[in-house]
Amino acid sequence: MAAYRRAQQLLLLTLVSFCIFCNVRGFKTQNNAMANVPVDPPNPPGMKAAPRDVPVAAASQPRRTTGWKLAEEEACREDLSRLCPKHTWTNNLAVLECLQDRKEETELAADCNHLLWNYKLNLTMDPKFESVATEVCRSTLSEIKECNEEERGKGFLVSCLVDHRTNISEYQCNQYITKMTSIIFSDYRLICGFMDKCKEDINSMHCGSVNVGQKDVHSQGKVIGCLEKALVREAEQEVQTNPIKEDCKKAIMRVAELSSDDFHLDRYLYFSCREDRERFCENTQAGEGKVYKCLFNHKFEEAMSEKCRDALTTRQKLIAQDYRVSYSLAKACKADLRKQHCNLENNLPRAREARLSYLLLCLESAVHRGRMVSGECQGEMLDYRRMLMEDFSLSPEIVLHCRGEIETHCSGLHRKGRTLHCLMKVGRGDRSATVENLCQNALQNLVQSADPGADYRIDRALNEACESVIQTACKHIRSGDPMILSCLMEHLYTEKMVGDCEHRLLELQYFISRDWKLDPILYLKCEGDAARLCHTRGWNETSELMPPGAVFSCLYRHAYRTEEQGRRLSRDCKVEVQRILHQRALDVKLEPELQRRCMTDLGKWCSEKTDTGQELECLQDHLEDLMPACREVVGNLTELESEDIQIDALLIRACEPIIQAHCHDVADNQVDTGDLMECLVQNKHQKEMNEKCAVGVTHFQLVQMKDFHFSYKFKMACKEDVLKLCPNIKKKVDVVICLSTTVKNDTLQEAKEQRVALKCRKQLRVEELEMSEDIRLEPELYDSCKNDISHLCSNVAFGNAQMIECLKENKKQLTSRCHQRVFRLQEVEMSDPELDYQLMRVCKQMIKRFCTEADARNVLQCLKQNKNSELMDPKCKQMITKRQITQNTDYRLNPVLRKACRADIPKFCQPVLNKASDDTELEGRVISCLKLKYADQRLSPDCEDQIRVILQESALDYRLDPQLQMHCTDEISRLCAEEAAAQEQTGQVEECLKVNLLKIRQDACKKEVLNILKESKADIFVDPVLHTACALDLKHHCAAIPPGRGRQMSCLMEALQDKRVRLQPECKKRLQDRIDMWSYAAKVAPAEGFSDLAMQVMTSPSKNYILFMIAVGVCVLFLVGLLCGRITKRVTRELKDR
């Protein structure tokens, strides 16, 4: 009986104290939600509550077995027998609970309603509750000193117990305070002070009646539900017609907060979700907000009723406005909020600082900084971050500012975060539409609050779309790890990626990329660097003056600074910055600064470039045409790529085979510094190279031509020399020409000290070699020859110098401008054969075999000397012949000849030079001139040696004699077609022309053949057929005679005339043929001058006779002069002296 009396007194005291607590202190702010425990202890006692006309003092008396019972009242007897089981009839609280929690469609009699109302009202008005509470909660008060010290008699004691309800361990004290709360929350009019504060708002919002006579129901939770909806709706409206008063707002939020632990206390939600609770959360124990969380998790299930879903959404919106409306969150994070200094300050407005977003941002800031936040709190945060991402409507800013975008683009996509991702897609610009700045900012703020970058599972739409990719490509990473998103980005546009995941990932990354703090690993590693170098604020603080992506732009600018430049990033931070750069290079929209500055240029130049990676390539291609701000950011990004080409992830993926085969050493280096791209360029034509990689490498080479800063190694090696020798020059090709010219002049002038540094000269050589591979890398040449390329070489590939080779082969058909450029290119290549890409490629192995010790500039000379070796590769031999043909068209293309004959050419061939222009070939006329002087034996020794070599080479292959080929093309086709078609040229065409000299019709051709005959008289090596036939005779009879100046030929002629000497039959026959040819040549080609006449005399078999007769004639003339001189008339001295 004592226990029953204590229980009765405790309940009465609790109810009274709650009313006193409301009236005296109002709704006092508290962080703790009320715990939910079973309604009654085992075998709960009945409770007597007097009707209104019964003296309230009777309620404090011990209960008698014959006490008043609700079940005995006639007004409720019928309803009780119909709705409540018999075992509850003896317990007034059980009866009250049964009738309160009836099904909504079940009606109670009006008299019963009124009786219940008066019963509950009387329970809340007993003035002696505080003294009973002191007795029942004695041990609790000793533990909670704060409550024990409260002043008695003013209701402060009970209000304190309510605030500390979660700390009450005493069973009866806790149990009956909880039971009292459920009674009060059944009717808003029983909540002390609520009706006074919200009376006007209830009427203005048409939320129900405050007059008992008009609507006297025992449960009016709908009124509070209506006010709650009005409250959240007000936050979503820009213009508020009937705003709720501040006092009522506080009362509504306080009621929501006090009902947060037990979902039974939210009467509107309880009745709306009673069946859904049985369907989804049947086994979930009530209390501590567990039923709320269970229902939240099933909110978007198909079986969830719309009414319940609506009620749950309203409660979630209240939680978004004040996190304390969530019992589990407030309880789990209470200590962490205090520890991380996230507690509310009195001088800050509750409406802002109590928001869920504030709590999340503050605690997320602590987590990102590596501070300790309890696992229970982090679990609660995860649930509510997921909640925000699932339902956009929980963010009033999005509802307010994105209403138009939702109606236009995203209607009907409310569930599971699809609306939010639709808005992200529109905000990203994937639907050729844009969103207003306010909507964009609201989306950005929501992403920051939810922080899905820390755990991909927060974004349900992403999680579902990417589940298969995560299971295959990222299964090695722990679930929920931030690196999952990084792994997904690394597999973007790969075979493992699926389309839906790709879209969701890019939509989310678009917003993450605009706030560097949303990548938790980046933030953790770079927080100190960002504060030191970029003047950033805290994680949960923002600056409107700092545009999106500005901090990360600052970080990556410092990431690639050298030690000399100072203020570099820490090593860990640099690694993370590089990781982000590599991932975001996949899509130009993930570069906020680039998209912001280049929006206009993207629309103007790149509107049709929508495939992966094409937009950035397009901007790079139009770099000169971009607006200054866009040009700057594109230039900066390109400059970074030149140092670390792995930023271009698409290119690296395409080039994976060639990297593994030839560049794995440099690819594994943590610091790239341009080595990987250099390796890819050098191996661009290996068999492992695929088309995508080759196109990407070539594109980057073309971009590098626009600015020498885009070639990192060249920039670092030559920046000082460029500033000193080539100021105001920006294009790489112009810088290369400038520096190359300087090096060339210093070399020719034999300067004591080169003006270009050694490291720059080495890198300059690399750049020159790379440029020789593709005509497009030499813009002036390419622009000059575009029309010729389309006309003559349209089916030829640019790479491997094939296009340049095609233009060389069609040189005679080129336009004047293109012809001049090609001639200049050939002049450079002949002076420096390393720049002849085709020659170096085709003859690479032969160079290793024959010319390892030869200087780079003498490679072609070395190859020519070994051309007829049996070990010479046929393809290389063919290439050497091409270069010899080119050299013989103009002495300027033969640097060795040009140097050896620098005095002879102006001396003997000035008339030819006077007719020549700087950029056109002389078609071998100068060399032909020198050949004639060689026959006259008038050249300097060095020049004579070089001409002898040319004569020997052209004697074996008629194509090496441009004049002969030009004038005798028709005759060769007519008379020597078979010889000309021979694969190996050994002088047979020249021999054919000599034999058929009398059949030649064209005088110009005949003259060239006669010149060949004349040249052969000067040196037998010039006549390969005769030299081969007489090789043994030369060895036997003329071994002591040095070659040249016709000496060996004269020796053979004398041997032919000497009857004592027996020559080889073939040699004798060939010599006799040559004598006949020379005789004919003398007849048909008389001497053109005294020198020709003298040469004919000196080479004539009757040379002695002719010279004797000339001497006799001179003597006779002298004698005649002596004898006849006196016969003339004398002249006197006087006349002479006059």
Side-chain angles (χ1 to χ4, degrees), residues 291-549:
V291 176
Y292 286 125
K293 291 184 65 175
C294 176
L295 291 172
F296 289 160
N297 291 334
H298 293 85
K299 174 180 168 182
F300 290 113
E301 297 289 340
E302 294 293 336
M304 176 69 71
S305 66
E306 286 298 327
K307 188 173 183 180
C308 180
R309 185 180 293 121
D310 180 66
L312 290 173
T313 300
T314 300
R315 184 151 194 96
Q316 287 177 320
K317 290 180 179 180
L318 292 174
I319 294 174
Q321 292 192 30
D322 190 337
Y323 72 90
R324 286 168 295 192
V325 175
S326 169
Y327 174 86
S328 57
L329 179 65
K331 179 182 178 183
C333 296
K334 179 179 180 180
D336 295 289
L337 288 170
R338 188 184 306 111
K339 183 178 178 181
Q340 305 303 334
H341 305 288
C342 301
N343 293 330
L344 300 182
E345 299 180 14
N346 295 330
N347 58 341
L348 293 177
R350 173 189 173 105
R352 182 174 69 87
E353 301 302 332
R355 290 178 66 89
L356 176 64
S357 60
Y358 175 82
L359 174 141
L360 293 176
L361 288 173
C362 183
L363 293 179
E364 285 165 11
S365 174
V367 173
H368 284 296
R369 288 171 175 166
R371 298 174 183 173
M372 183 61 66
V373 174
S374 66
E376 185 181 3
C377 180
Q378 290 196 50
E380 289 293 327
M381 290 168 59
L382 182 66
D383 290 338
Y384 283 96
R385 285 154 58 193
R386 184 186 292 117
M387 181 184 77
L388 290 175
M389 289 295 292
E390 280 189 357
D391 191 347
F392 77 95
S393 65
L394 303 186
S395 173
E397 292 83 1
I398 290 182
V399 176
L400 174 61
H401 300 303
C402 300
R403 184 175 287 109
E405 288 80 0
I406 293 173
E407 292 176 355
T408 305
H409 303 286
C410 308
S411 59
L413 299 173
H414 183 72
R415 298 183 177 183
K416 300 181 181 179
R418 287 183 295 212
T419 301
L420 186 59
H421 268 276
C422 174
L423 288 172
M424 289 179 174
K425 188 173 185 178
V426 177
R428 189 173 181 269
D430 287 351
R431 292 193 172 183
S432 64
T434 57
V435 300
E436 297 293 334
N437 289 335
L438 290 174
C439 179
Q440 191 86 0
N441 293 337
L443 289 170
Q444 188 69 49
N445 292 336
L446 175 61
V447 173
Q448 186 181 22
S449 299
D451 193 19
D455 190 335
Y456 73 96
R457 297 172 298 180
I458 292 170
D459 189 340
R460 184 170 178 178
L462 176 71
N463 188 15
E464 292 180 357
C466 298
E467 184 177 2
S468 60
V469 183
I470 295 171
Q471 292 299 323
T472 55
C474 309
K475 59 183 179 181
H476 61 285
I477 304 176
R478 178 179 57 84
S479 180
D481 193 287
M483 287 305 294
I484 291 285
L485 277 182
S486 182
C487 174
L488 290 174
M489 287 298 295
E490 290 171 2
H491 288 86
L492 196 63
Y493 305 125
T494 64
E495 295 179 355
K496 293 183 179 180
M497 180 59 64
V498 296
D500 198 27
C501 177
E502 176 183 307
H503 297 318
R504 301 296 85 76
L505 181 62
L506 286 175
E507 289 157 9
L508 178 61
Q509 283 289 346
Y510 176 83
F511 288 90
I512 291 179
S513 67
R514 275 143 182 80
D515 190 343
W516 73 288
K517 297 172 291 189
L518 295 181
D519 188 305
I521 302 175
L522 175 70
Y523 181 78
L524 181 63
K525 301 293 185 182
C526 296
E527 180 189 6
D529 296 274
R532 175 170 55 91
L533 302 172
C534 309
H535 311 291
T536 58
R537 297 172 178 266
W539 197 94
N540 55 332
E541 299 176 11
T542 58
S543 174
E544 296 180 357
L545 300 177
M546 191 169 289

Side-chain angles (χ1 to χ4, degrees), residues 781 784-785 788 807-808 810-826 889-890 917-923:
L781 174 63
S784 301
C785 296
D788 301 272
L807 293 175
K808 291 176 181 177
N810 294 277
K811 190 165 55 176
K812 293 182 179 180
Q813 304 176 50
L814 300 179
T815 58
S816 175
R817 186 183 174 201
C818 180
H819 191 283
Q820 292 175 5
R821 291 289 181 183
V822 172
F823 178 78
R824 291 180 187 175
L825 174 65
Q826 289 180 315
T889 59
D890 197 302
S917 62
D918 293 336
D919 301 319
T920 56
E921 290 89 340
L922 298 171
E923 299 297 341

